[in-house]
Amino acid sequence: MSITKESDLQGMQKASEAVAQTLKKMTAYAQPGMTTKELDEYAAELLKEFGAKSAPHSTYKFPGWTCISVNNEFCHGVPSTKRKLQEGDLINIDVSAELDGFWADNGGSFVLGQDIHKHQKLVDASKEILLKTIQNIRGGVKIADIGYLMESEARKRGFKVIRNLAGHGIGRGLHEQPNELMNFRNKADHRRFKKNSVIAIETFISTTSSYATALKDGWTMVGNKGGFMAQHEHTIVVTDNAPLVLTAMNGIN
């Protein structure tokens, strides 16, 4: 999507507020002993208050309102009454939704309570890399160069990136062009970011794996070599200067 008029920007701001506030409140609401289904139902109420519709549920018939992944689950985790959160868990929540024809997406990983399993370094790396990446995105910048920045920053910190997960364009649909905004340099990709375009930019920073594979449920993804992954995501508008971060109120800063 390209922002061409004020009403486009206002629509994206409202949709982005819905997903950002939902993500922030879910993160604060999560506590040991709670099931991921309980956390997801809380999200459903929040989205309903905004008048927003869950994107994965409405688009892909995902069996939940949000994606909640725990520990070795990398992404697309299915909320469950059987999965209880525990102190020190590495949790990733991804919230995307549609509101009045506009779509927004954001996500974040965090450690629940005390960092007894030493996941915080990974979480911090993912967040720092996302923020540095965003500050380097401008109209005219090569998409592949941003991917190179993400992987380089991950390596500096002793981590890897997942090579089959990517950010994407967004706006009038959940996934739009430009697609495949990778966390590494794809030398065959000669595209450049376009001013006024809306994208969901996200990190996929891992400890040991380079690829994500789906479990038998057809949704939940884990690492091909195990380990853990942290993800952080903002919906942004590309400009000639620093991007406009539409989901800034989610607290990933």
Side-chain angles (χ1 to χ4, degrees):
M1 176 183 176
S2 181
I3 300 292
T4 58
K5 51 185 183 291
E6 185 64 25
S7 59
D8 288 342
L9 180 58
Q10 291 175 350
M12 284 305 305
Q13 287 173 327
K14 288 182 180 179
S16 297
E17 178 184 7
V19 299
Q21 289 284 14
T22 298
L23 175 61
K24 184 177 183 179
K25 290 180 179 180
M26 287 178 73
T27 302
Y29 188 73
Q31 58 184 321
M34 177 183 294
T35 68
T36 53
K37 183 67 174 177
E38 287 177 83
L39 185 56
D40 189 54
E41 289 298 332
Y42 175 63
E45 290 301 315
L46 294 173
L47 291 173
K48 185 178 180 181
E49 289 175 10
F50 280 103
K53 295 180 181 178
S54 163
H57 185 268
S58 61
T59 305
Y60 300 113
K61 305 301 180 187
F62 180 76
W65 307 105
T66 63
C67 300
I68 305 174
S69 309
V70 183
N71 293 330
N72 65 305
E73 299 171 349
F74 279 18
C75 60
H76 305 159
V78 178
S80 170
T81 56
K82 298 178 181 179
R83 188 63 178 262
K84 285 191 175 183
L85 301 179
Q86 299 179 22
E87 187 82 12
D89 277 349
L90 173 61
I91 302 172
N92 176 264
I93 300 174
D94 196 303
V95 183
S96 54
E98 177 267 330
L99 179 58
D100 296 332
F102 294 93
W103 302 68
D105 194 356
N106 70 165
S109 295
F110 62 97
V111 175
L112 185 64
Q114 296 297 311
D115 185 30
I116 57 179
H117 302 301
K118 309 299 182 185
H119 293 308
Q120 193 61 49
K121 182 182 176 183
L122 175 64
V123 170
D124 290 344
S126 174
K127 187 184 298 185
E128 290 165 7
I129 292 168
L130 177 67
L131 298 178
K132 185 168 185 176
T133 295
I134 288 174
Q135 290 304 311
N136 282 274
I137 294 176
R138 305 277 192 282
V141 169
K142 285 185 176 181
I143 289 174
D145 286 350
I146 291 299
Y148 176 73
L149 172 64
M150 297 170 98
E151 185 173 32
S152 297
E153 290 296 324
R155 285 179 171 174
K156 284 180 187 177
R157 294 165 171 81
F159 297 117
K160 300 175 181 290
V161 298
I162 300 301
R163 301 176 73 86
N164 62 330
L165 296 174
H168 51 91
I170 194 169
R172 288 294 188 176
L174 179 58
H175 292 99
E176 298 182 344
Q177 295 298 325
N179 63 355
E180 296 188 350
L181 303 177
M182 312 305 296
N183 279 206
F184 65 93
R185 173 182 279 161
N186 176 2
K187 293 181 179 179
D189 187 355
H190 302 293
R191 299 172 299 167
R192 294 175 183 269
F193 287 103
K194 295 180 180 179
K195 180 182 177 181
N196 297 326
S197 63
V198 185
I199 62 173
I201 189 76
E202 50 191 317
T203 55
F204 302 99
I205 311 301
S206 73
T207 56
T208 56
S209 291
S210 296
Y211 293 90
T213 59
L215 295 179
K216 291 180 180 179
D217 65 10
W219 298 104
T220 309
M221 302 194 83
V222 299
N224 66 319
K225 293 184 179 179
F228 302 92
M229 187 194 83
Q231 176 256 19
H232 289 86
E233 176 183 21
H234 271 306
T235 292
I236 68 174
V237 179
V238 179
T239 73
D240 285 331
N241 299 299
L244 174 61
V245 182
L246 296 174
T247 47
M249 62 188 71
N250 64 18
I252 299 172
N253 50 38

